[in-house]
Amino acid sequence: MPRLSRKLRKWTAAFLDLPQDVALDLPRVTMIGGLQVTVENHRGVLHFSPKTLRLAMDRGEMEVTGENLVIRNIGAEEVFVEGEILGVTLHPKGKPSG
Amino acid sequence: MKGTWFAAVRGYVWIKLIGGNPETFLNAATAQRIGLWNIAFSKDGELTFGISVPDFFRLRPLVRQCGSKARILAKRGVPFQLARLSRRKTFAAGMLVFVSLLFLLSTFVWQVRIGGDTAIPEEQILRAAREEGLFPFQWSLRLQDSSVLARRLTARLPDASWVGVEKKGTMIVITVVDSTKPDAKSAKGPQDLVAKMDAVVTRIIAENGKPQVERHDRVRSGQVLVSGWLGDADRRKAVVSKGKVMGLVWHEMRIVSPLVREQKTLTGASKERTYWVIGSRALQIAGYGGEEYAESRTGAALYPWRLGRWMLPLGILKEREMEVLTTRDSLTAAQAKEAGLRQARTELLSRCGTDARITSENILHEQSESGKVRLTVLYEVEQSIAVERPIIQTPSE
């Protein structure tokens, strides 16, 4: 997304009091205790193992760590993960992941 | 996964992905909008997931692209069950036969039951029902509509005022309501009306027969009041004499009335005790303590346990003890006399019949001794004095 367009969108969202995820196409993470995580607006699976799940975002990556992770359901837009979730980490673009 | 039942109807498979790159496979699958669920790693580090059957066929090129192999772990759902069933023809046929047999048998009448409180013998009702085609193991499609059946059964049962036919599954309930009939009068032979006791006739009404006495006549016990014989000496006929004869009768009553009246009343206080009953023994489990009553009355109720229609020798006994208070009123001689007379009057009237009436009361003797009032009273009562006596006819020579 060009820089100008993104700035405009951000300004509009702030001015009209819109939720940022609607205006900016950001991922929306819903977490229920340490049991379930739903990530909407992801851009694909980068890595999946029983301990970690790395998802691509528009700008950067997101990492879900835990034990015995199971992808309950996966669609083009959302992922629903179950297991003993220990952490959700965001890695914006440019910074090293890990 | 749109609900497990939906997936089960369409059929789904558990897949194990061997080799290749699981991430590329997942991204490719989501890009193709192939629904996967329960994606997890097995202990050997291989990706396992569930997928619906139509999606499974779309999955194959993807698997090949990723350079891996898909292995089916298990097949679930209705289509696979049906396929398995089609291999076992006899079993499938048995299921079909069972369902059709169940349906066929449910179209029969299995039971005809008679409800309602009726004096008509059950066999008569069942016979009438049978003639209308209503009997066990009748095919219920051959039965008529229940309102038509009810109407026809009413016509066949003259003693019933209403018949209801109700179909409850395979059971038919016939409800019969009896018509009320006047009480059957027993045929009476010819009879006289005679006096029950010595009296003075006050009123005589003969509905049938010939009155033999008049008003103010003195009659003795056993004297004929209304004769059943009509006609002369040689042309005569015995009839059933009917009528009403009232007369004045004297009764002498001896009354003893106490001067102290005891009255027992319940105070309202009560205690409840609960027992477990085993056979003829009882074990108290509740209701201990509390003050004992000086005087009490105890009522008990047994609640036996039932098993179906058998009564078990076990149960619960509930006992209620109610406190009783006795009050003693001392009466004056006049009050005691009045109470005694009142009791004597009710006793007399109940003895003399419903249409009796006390016309006079005469105290002959009155004595008060050892806490009691003794009275001798002569009552004059107007009461029915007629009693029926059959005429025994000797056959004419």
Side-chain angles (χ1 to χ4, degrees), chain B residues 177-226:
Chain B
V177 177
D178 285 4
S179 51
T180 46
K181 280 183 174 176
D183 293 339
K185 278 184 188 166
S186 59
K188 280 181 179 172
Q191 62 182 22
D192 288 329
L193 291 184
V194 299
K196 193 156 43 172
M197 53 195 78
D198 297 358
V200 173
V201 176
T202 52
R203 198 148 58 101
I204 177 160
I205 303 161
E207 289 172 36
N208 209 357
K210 204 156 77 181
Q212 300 289 313
V213 290
E214 279 182 18
R215 208 172 159 211
H216 304 309
D217 279 0
R218 271 193 76 111
V219 291
R220 301 206 72 84
S221 175
Q223 191 181 334
V224 176
L225 302 172
V226 181

Side-chain angles (χ1 to χ4, degrees), chain B residues 207-393:
Chain B
E207 289 172 36
N208 209 357
K210 204 156 77 181
Q212 300 289 313
V213 290
E214 279 182 18
R215 208 172 159 211
H216 304 309
D217 279 0
R218 271 193 76 111
V219 291
R220 301 206 72 84
S221 175
Q223 191 181 334
V224 176
L225 302 172
V226 181
S227 170
W229 287 110
L230 296 180
D232 305 333
D234 47 339
R235 293 177 175 218
R236 59 183 204 160
K237 188 187 169 196
V239 297
V240 184
S241 59
K242 277 194 289 184
K244 192 171 180 183
V245 185
M246 302 291 281
L248 287 177
V249 184
W250 290 273
H251 295 271
E252 199 180 87
M253 301 281 287
R254 285 172 205 284
I255 302 160
V256 180
S257 184
L259 281 169
V260 175
R261 188 168 54 188
E262 268 192 6
Q263 212 167 14
K264 292 195 175 196
T265 48
L266 296 174
T267 59
S270 69
K271 279 194 286 201
E272 201 176 65
R273 286 189 288 266
T274 310
Y275 299 86
W276 280 340
V277 178
I278 301 159
S280 60
R281 287 162 187 274
L283 176 70
Q284 187 174 358
I285 53 164
Y288 284 107
E291 274 181 50
E292 286 200 8
Y293 300 136
E295 218 180 333
S296 66
R297 189 185 292 173
T298 308
L302 180 66
Y303 301 99
W305 288 338
R306 283 163 204 281
L307 194 75
R309 54 202 169 88
W310 296 286
M311 233 192 276
L312 297 181
L314 307 170
I316 283 177
L317 180 77
K318 291 210 169 179
E319 205 177 60
R320 180 173 282 277
E321 188 179 355
M322 292 166 286
E323 195 185 11
V324 173
L325 190 72
T326 309
T327 48
R328 285 163 194 276
D329 297 339
S330 46
L331 305 175
T332 61
Q335 278 173 324
K337 181 177 143 192
E338 187 50 47
L341 286 175
R342 207 181 310 127
Q343 203 190 334
R345 273 182 227 128
T346 42
E347 202 177 303
L348 190 64
L349 284 177
S350 71
R351 202 200 295 165
C352 294
T354 47
D355 48 1
R357 188 168 59 87
I358 294 170
T359 48
S360 79
E361 181 181 80
N362 202 356
I363 296 169
L364 302 179
H365 179 71
E366 188 177 342
Q367 189 190 5
S368 195
E369 55 158 33
S370 59
K372 284 170 187 164
V373 177
R374 288 174 188 280
L375 293 165
T376 309
V377 192
L378 185 73
Y379 283 101
E380 194 182 65
V381 181
E382 186 181 9
Q383 66 177 94
S384 173
I385 56 167
V387 70
E388 293 159 0
R389 189 179 68 185
I391 299 170
I392 295 150
Q393 283 171 303

Side-chain angles (χ1 to χ4, degrees), chain B residues 100-207:
Chain B
S100 50
L101 209 65
L102 197 70
F103 174 74
L104 203 72
L105 291 179
S106 70
T107 59
F108 284 95
V109 173
W110 282 91
Q111 250 187 324
V112 178
R113 201 175 275 180
I114 289 162
D117 187 25
T118 173
I120 304 173
E122 209 161 282
E123 301 100 64
Q124 197 188 333
I125 300 169
L126 288 178
R127 209 184 314 122
R130 183 171 283 275
E131 280 162 20
E132 287 300 335
L134 182 59
F135 50 86
F137 310 117
Q138 163 75 298
W139 202 24
S140 63
L141 295 180
R142 289 184 59 188
L143 282 180
Q144 247 138 3
D145 194 48
S146 57
S147 61
V148 177
L149 269 177
R151 202 163 350 107
R152 292 202 178 173
L153 276 178
T154 319
R156 280 191 186 271
L157 296 170
D159 289 349
S161 68
W162 182 84
V163 176
V165 176
E166 194 184 358
K167 190 162 182 262
K168 288 179 177 170
T170 60
M171 188 173 76
I172 301 257
V173 181
I174 304 175
T175 313
V176 181
V177 177
D178 285 4
S179 51
T180 46
K181 280 183 174 176
D183 293 339
K185 278 184 188 166
S186 59
K188 280 181 179 172
Q191 62 182 22
D192 288 329
L193 291 184
V194 299
K196 193 156 43 172
M197 53 195 78
D198 297 358
V200 173
V201 176
T202 52
R203 198 148 58 101
I204 177 160
I205 303 161
E207 289 172 36

